[in-house]
Structure formats: C-alpha cells, structure tokens
Amino acid sequence: MRSVFLGFVAATAGACAAPSAKPEPPIQTAAPAEEPSTQPARAKGSPAPELSVVPAPAEAAATVKLQLVTDQTKEATALVAAPEPKGRLFVLEKRGVIRVLKGSKFNPQPFLDLQSVVKLDDRDNGERGLLGLAFHPQFAKNGRFYINYTSRPDGTTRVEERRVGRNKDKADPKAVKLLLEVEQPYSNHNAGDLAFGPDGKLYVGLGDGGAANDPKGHGQNSKTLLGSMLRLDVEAASPQPEVVAIGLRNPWRISFDAKTGDLFIADVGQNLFEYVHLLTAKQLANVAAPYNLGWNVMEGFHCFQDKPCDPSQYQAPMIEYPHKEGCSITGGYVYRGKQLPLLQGQYFYADYCTGLVRSLGLEAGRLKTSWDWKPSLDPESRLARLASFGQDQDGELYLVTHEGPIFKFVPANN
C-alpha cells in the first residue's frame, strides 16, 4: 500500500534488513506538543537532542516472541477487533474483502465482499483498495461499523457506515450510508485508516492526493481535505468533516493510546525520512484551528528539498528515521495488554521495506526510549512487507504482512 515498487523493496530488504553489530544511528526526536494555542501553526522550533535507537533490553526481549497465527491472507491491510466479547478478529484484504478470523482459522464466507466496487491498481503493490475499518464503540448493541476504500471507477475515497446482518458473521450488503467522499487526483497516497477516539468521534487519515512532492500543494492547503486528519461525529444526522490537522503526506496507520487518549500518526515520507507525529489528548480536546504538521514544507524535521523554511511554524514529529534504514513507515499501537508487562506503554511501529520493528517509550508524555526489536524478534530477517499492526479485545498486539503471515506478540515461554 505504499509508493514502493517490488524491485526496490527486495533490494532494500536485502541490503538493510539484517541486524547490525554496531549500535543503530541516532534518530531525531522532539517532545510532544504543549497545550495548544489559538494559532493554526504550533511553534516547535528545531529538533530536540538526538535519542539513540538501541536494542530492546535483554530483560524485555527475552519475554516476547512472534507466533504465527495464520498465513492464509492475500495482501492484508489491517486486523481489527470489534468492541465485543473476544473470539473474533476482522482482517481486511486490499482486494476488497473483510474476513472473520477465529483463533487461527477463517470463516468459510467473508464478512463483507466489496470486490465489485473497490478500485485497485493494475500494478502489483498499488496503493488503492480496501484500506480502513473501525467499529462503533457500541457495536455490540447497534451493529454499526465503518470502512474506507478507493471506489470504482476512478479511485475516489469513500468512507461509509455499514451494519451487520441477522447473521453476526455477515454484514448486511444493503445497509450503506455514505459519510465522506473525496476525489483522489492520483492513485497513491490515499492513506485510509479509521479509528474512534475517546471523544466518540471517527478519525480519518487522508494523504496528500499522490504523485511525488505534493505537486498540487494539498498538504498546506486548508481548503482541501487531502493531506489532513479529519474527524466525524457519526451520531449527527449529516456528519461534517472537521479538520484536526493539516500537513500530512500519507498517514499509514493511526491509533489512540487506550490509556492516555493520545493520537499517534505514522506518516510516510518522500525521499529521505519517515516519521511519527503525536497529537495529545489535550490538543484534540482544544482544536481552535488545525494543527500544521509541516508537509510539504517539511519532511520530518527538515526543510523539504533544502528549500529555505522556518521549522518553528510547524509542529515537529516525535521522531524520524532516514531512508538508509527503511523507506515506508507502518504505524502501530501503544501496548496496553497484560501478557507482556515489560512492553507496557511502548508504541510499536515498523517499516514496510526493510522489516524493522521498533518501539518508543514515553513517560508523562515525554519520549524516553527508542528500542530496536529486530534482533530479538526476527534474527534471521524473515519479516517482509510489514503492512499493519492489530490489537485484539485484550489489547494484545499483532503484526500483519502483505506476504500472507499474521503474527501475534506472545510470551516467549508459550
């Protein structure tokens, strides 16, 4: 689901995926934003002091491993748990199918099949497709859920409300309510993730519309919905999108920390850097004007294409990493499960190209640690095309690949 061709993926993975005997180079970091002002651009200044990426501490690394759940997927884009008694997980596949996973087995019939309406790219590794799924917080009572996909004939983004049918393992194909429709000028940078915030509103991440370098300037155009983080009040009779932030390039996976309510946004960079943004719960509760995250004036902490700019006019990301380490970030979750106590509070992310798996540790909203899990979780560098993370009803963590396998983070003694 990225601007990455397979030949580049294979070459990059072969060159970069093996763990290095040397310490990882520093990544650039910035502190989370303070209480918001009333201005659209939040002044954050230059990058904060560097924080080195180090191997996950031996004590923590020894407690966790990746366990294969299934390898029977076809270009999976997400794994989502409904707010209901545990037992079911919902797996999205780019072609337009949502499948119900129970344990390690899929139901014979899909939960929803949208292949007739989903627009795909002709080329392999294209970015169009079924991209996002979120369940209403009261799904167990009202049966409502939400999807994000690129639609036929032209790849327009559609966000729809759907409902389950009488059979709870099947969606009602006729229950469709269109919430949002956004034309996409190019085939890439559709983003597509959906997530409900603690405010009960549905958050929608949209990319800048595609091509390279944001040629239409959507990232800094407050009059377009492209390149933005939106939220919708799904209880309204006619939900209208509220722009929470602008300056995004291709936010590939967003998630809320179940404990703090902070929103993590992994944004795919252009040619040099990948980065993670953070919008705190306080910021989201006080959106006087959209926060400006910088693209396409900034790429991470840097003035894009070395053009003169003032970084203080934009909210800096938490961290960035260079393209010598990866080329397309995949955002994850803050771990809040119970099986792996030494992972508590760690925000996990990965890279689609090189298969790196890392985490960020925060204390009182401040970034304290950056851990590399590749040497312990994938010592033989077998992970490939890491497309997404997932969580189950217990907050346990999953890793989703485009190659077919889905893994679960489990105690090492399992």
Side-chain angles (χ1 to χ4, degrees):
M1 308 307 298
R2 312 291 211 275
S3 303
V4 180
F5 291 97
L6 284 178
F8 179 71
V9 171
T12 307
C16 302
S20 173
K22 298 180 181 179
E24 292 283 352
I27 57 175
Q28 294 289 323
T29 69
E34 303 295 340
E35 191 75 36
S37 69
T38 58
Q39 299 302 315
R42 271 51 180 184
K44 293 295 125 187
S46 299
E50 294 176 343
L51 177 69
S52 294
V53 182
V54 298
E59 180 184 12
T63 66
V64 60
K65 66 180 181 181
L66 292 179
Q67 181 180 81
L68 179 66
V69 177
T70 180
D71 59 3
Q72 301 300 308
T73 68
K74 183 178 181 180
E75 287 195 307
T77 53
L79 179 149
V80 184
E84 63 179 9
K86 58 185 177 181
R88 300 192 302 176
L89 296 173
F90 295 79
V91 176
L92 275 69
E93 294 181 340
K94 186 174 72 172
R95 59 192 170 126
V97 176
I98 302 176
R99 305 169 68 191
V100 177
L101 181 65
K102 296 179 179 179
S104 61
K105 303 292 184 182
F106 283 104
N107 283 359
Q109 299 299 318
F111 178 72
L112 182 62
D113 188 340
L114 296 171
Q115 293 181 86
S116 63
V117 298
V118 168
K119 173 68 173 178
L120 298 173
D121 286 345
D122 294 332
R123 65 183 178 91
D124 184 33
N125 221 44
E127 298 185 26
R128 289 169 167 162
L130 179 57
L131 305 176
L133 168 67
F135 291 91
H136 192 282
Q138 300 300 317
F139 171 77
K141 295 180 180 179
N142 62 30
R144 292 156 59 186
F145 65 95
Y146 303 82
I147 56 173
N148 186 333
Y149 66 95
T150 54
S151 61
R152 296 187 183 188
D154 59 359
T156 292
T157 285
R158 284 178 65 94
V159 177
E160 298 173 349
E161 178 181 283
R162 298 270 182 150
R163 292 179 183 265
V164 295
R166 292 182 179 180
N167 177 353
K168 299 303 181 184
D169 283 342
K170 297 279 290 184
D172 181 349
K174 297 181 180 180
V176 182
K177 178 181 179 181
L178 178 63
L179 299 185
L180 183 68
E181 194 167 40
V182 181
E183 293 184 3
Q184 296 284 355
Y186 304 101
S187 65
N188 57 342
H189 301 183
N190 306 288
D193 211 0
L194 302 173
F196 273 94
D199 55 8
K201 295 181 179 180
L202 181 66
Y203 286 70
V204 183
L206 285 177
D208 65 8
N213 306 325
D214 190 12
K216 295 183 179 294
H218 291 139
Q220 292 298 309
N221 184 354
S222 61
K223 296 182 180 180
T224 179
L225 298 182
L226 293 170
S228 302
M229 183 60 57
L230 313 176
R231 64 182 172 193
L232 296 164
D233 180 358
V234 299
E235 305 307 325
S238 180
Q240 299 299 310
E242 176 192 3
V243 180
V244 173
I246 65 172
L248 288 166
R249 183 176 178 273
N250 194 29
W252 187 251
R253 295 315 179 206
I254 64 175
S255 67
F256 286 91
D257 183 341
K259 181 178 180 179
T260 66
D262 295 339
L263 175 60
F264 289 78
I265 306 168
D267 201 14
V268 179
Q270 181 68 53
N271 296 321
L272 298 176
F273 302 99
E274 307 295 303
Y275 33 96
V276 178
H277 286 287
L278 178 68
L279 293 177
T280 67
K282 288 184 178 180
Q283 284 183 293
L284 295 175
N286 297 278
V287 183
Y291 300 95
N292 194 330
L293 304 183
W295 176 254
N296 70 351
V297 178
M298 307 290 296
E299 184 182 11
F301 291 116
H302 306 268
C303 296
F304 182 55
Q305 296 180 332
D306 292 327
K307 296 179 181 177
C309 73
D310 181 1
S312 70
Q313 297 303 303
Y314 310 97
Q315 178 167 311
M318 293 175 62
I319 61 100
E320 69 176 25
Y321 63 89
H323 274 200
K324 65 182 179 181
E325 299 172 27
C327 75
S328 186
I329 194 169
T330 294
Y333 294 86
V334 176
Y335 180 78
R336 296 296 181 187
K338 296 180 179 179
Q339 291 188 354
L340 302 164
L342 295 185
L343 275 58
Q344 273 293 323
Q346 293 287 319
Y347 170 75
F348 280 82
Y349 66 98
D351 191 90
Y352 182 82
C353 304
T354 58
L356 67 79
V357 180
R358 292 176 176 173
S359 70
L360 305 174
L362 291 84
E363 294 180 9
R366 298 289 176 175
L367 187 61
K368 296 295 184 181
T369 61
S370 179
W371 292 348
D372 177 17
W373 292 88
K374 185 80 173 178
S376 58
L377 292 179
D378 186 29
E380 296 180 356
S381 295
R382 293 181 177 180
L383 292 176
R385 299 213 290 177
L386 305 184
S388 191
F389 287 80
Q391 281 185 320
D392 61 22
Q393 287 90 349
D394 294 325
E396 301 304 330
L397 193 63
Y398 294 73
L399 185 58
V400 178
T401 78
H402 265 179
E403 297 291 288
I406 292 176
F407 301 93
K408 183 180 181 180
F409 289 65
V410 299
N413 57 8
N414 270 17

